[in-house]
Amino acid sequence: MTLRADTIEPRFSGDPAPGWRALGWALLGALAAFLVNNILVIGFGGAHLSSLFTEGLGAAWVPLAVYAIFMGAGVAFAISSSDTPLRQDADRIHRFNLYIVRSLFWAVFMIGVVDALVALMRVENMLSFFFDKETVREFTRSAFVAPIFHFPLIALGFVIGAFTRTLGFSWLALLIVASELLIVFTRFVFSYEQALMGDLVRYWYAALFLFASAYTLYDEGHVRVDIIYAGRSSRTKGKLNSVGTLLLGIVTCWTVLVIGMNGKTAIINAPIVNLEITQTGANGMFIKYQMAAFLAIFAVTMILQFVSYLFESLADSRGEPGKREIAAPAH
């Protein structure tokens, strides 16, 4: 069953909380600034924010200005809409996050199918029936395949995501099972297997677990050690969740981003910049660089959801109406 991404618009109420809202939107502004700065560093050779400590203010004025603009815009938005209830902000951020996640689902679904088909044609030398030798040779380069197939499909995924209202986690899980069954069937019945088949399963597995994490947080589906927490009141739980979100959740996600995207040679940036492929080379799918990007997507979507969760938790701690009721898991 496909999870619903949108529900009936709820009615929000609650006392203004301009300080907390300014903090939350400033965090989102910092996230946007970090991503913009990363593009400037990777694409245009700009200075990283860390150059402030090594080369001084003169070298770091651009990233500082980007942070000031985006974080300032976040604070300004919070101040200009100071009467907005916390739960309304939480819902707004969650819905935007849903759009990102469902768009990425469509992107990885389409890329998985198309890239697997291209890889199969490449391995079985079927491309020569449609293209000349020079073009066939180009199909062995990720720098040729990615701009022609991957990037347009990613853009198309975001277009489709704007018109759909469901999350495809269940369907993606079904596709993974079908892919695994195909491997078993072709291996043991026809004694046939290619590296691209395992690549497709790993690709969709990675997307399933990393993209679904934010929705799982929204649905209270993550494992929680709640020996003390379970017996607390709603207000106490809200306070504990607020502190945990700020000190543990958001900090952990920022750690992933800072370590993984600290310059061109960082563990996330490097595979993306080089459009890295697996060691199987032309025998496999050209999606390893995307799986590195999945880690950044995981951190970004989790930060968005954690800010939404922070607003919800703060509203709970203040005893505001409209608390979401989480359905108990079926046994």
Side-chain angles (χ1 to χ4, degrees):
M1 179 173 146
T2 305
L3 297 175
R4 292 292 301 173
D6 290 323
T7 56
I8 299 173
E9 184 72 26
R11 300 183 64 181
F12 303 103
S13 61
D15 296 329
W20 285 114
R21 292 186 64 247
L23 173 63
W25 284 103
L27 287 171
L28 296 182
L31 175 62
F34 178 87
L35 297 176
V36 169
N37 270 327
N38 190 64
I39 294 173
L40 294 177
V41 171
I42 300 303
F44 303 95
H48 199 275
L49 184 62
S50 60
S51 61
L52 174 65
F53 305 102
T54 57
E55 302 177 40
L57 182 61
W61 72 270
V62 172
L64 283 174
V66 172
Y67 273 94
I69 291 171
F70 280 92
M71 294 181 70
V75 173
F77 172 76
I79 294 175
S80 65
S81 57
S82 58
D83 292 336
T84 303
L86 287 166
R87 296 196 194 277
Q88 183 173 346
D89 263 353
D91 183 74
R92 178 184 294 150
I93 296 168
H94 171 64
R95 288 173 182 268
F96 175 70
N97 212 17
L98 287 178
Y99 166 67
I100 295 176
V101 172
R102 67 173 176 260
S103 299
L104 290 172
F105 159 75
W106 284 107
V108 298
F109 164 67
M110 293 184 293
I111 290 173
V113 173
V114 171
D115 198 273
L117 179 60
V118 170
L120 178 64
M121 296 177 68
R122 186 169 56 240
V123 170
E124 298 297 341
N125 297 317
M126 290 188 287
L127 291 171
S128 58
F129 292 106
F130 305 97
F131 306 101
D132 57 53
K133 290 183 178 180
E134 184 62 31
T135 304
V136 171
R137 192 177 301 114
E138 287 294 302
F139 270 92
T140 63
R141 299 174 53 247
S142 60
F144 175 81
V145 174
I148 292 180
F149 296 105
H150 298 174
F151 299 164
L153 289 175
I154 292 172
L156 179 59
F158 278 88
V159 173
I160 296 175
F163 294 97
T164 60
R165 291 295 180 268
T166 56
L167 296 176
F169 301 144
S170 299
W171 290 111
L172 188 55
L174 180 61
L175 288 170
I176 293 169
V177 173
S179 301
E180 291 278 17
L181 286 174
L182 180 63
I183 292 175
V184 173
F185 186 76
T186 55
R187 177 190 296 173
F188 293 102
V189 176
F190 297 103
S191 298
Y192 179 87
E193 185 177 7
Q194 295 291 350
L196 66 95
M197 301 166 74
D199 288 345
L200 179 61
V201 171
R202 286 188 289 271
Y203 179 61
W204 279 342
Y205 255 134
L208 175 64
F209 286 107
L210 294 176
F211 295 174
S213 290
Y215 191 91
T216 306
L217 174 63
Y218 172 79
D219 210 30
E220 297 280 4
H222 287 284
V223 175
R224 185 195 296 270
V225 180
D226 60 357
I227 298 174
I228 299 177
Y229 176 89
R232 303 294 98 184
S233 67
S234 178
R235 289 197 175 202
T236 302
K237 287 181 178 179
K239 293 176 182 178
L240 292 173
N241 287 334
S242 302
V243 173
T245 296
L246 287 171
L247 299 184
L248 299 176
I250 292 177
V251 170
T252 300
C253 294
W254 268 107
T255 301
V256 173
L257 289 178
V258 171
I259 294 177
M261 306 179 77
N262 185 27
K264 289 184 177 181
T265 60
I267 57 177
I268 293 178
N269 281 341
I272 297 174
V273 170
N274 298 317
L275 297 177
E276 191 172 314
I277 62 177
T278 61
Q279 293 180 347
T280 57
N283 293 326
M285 295 174 62
F286 291 172
I287 42 79
K288 184 177 180 181
Y289 75 95
Q290 292 184 42
M291 295 175 72
F294 287 178
L295 293 173
I297 293 169
F298 162 77
V300 168
T301 55
M302 285 298 286
I303 288 175
L304 287 168
Q305 198 60 53
F306 269 126
V307 173
S308 174
Y309 193 69
L310 172 65
F311 288 156
E312 282 279 1
S313 299
L314 289 168
D316 291 345
S317 69
R318 291 151 55 102
E320 295 182 356
K323 178 178 172 60
R324 289 189 303 112
E325 295 295 331
I326 307 298
H331 295 287

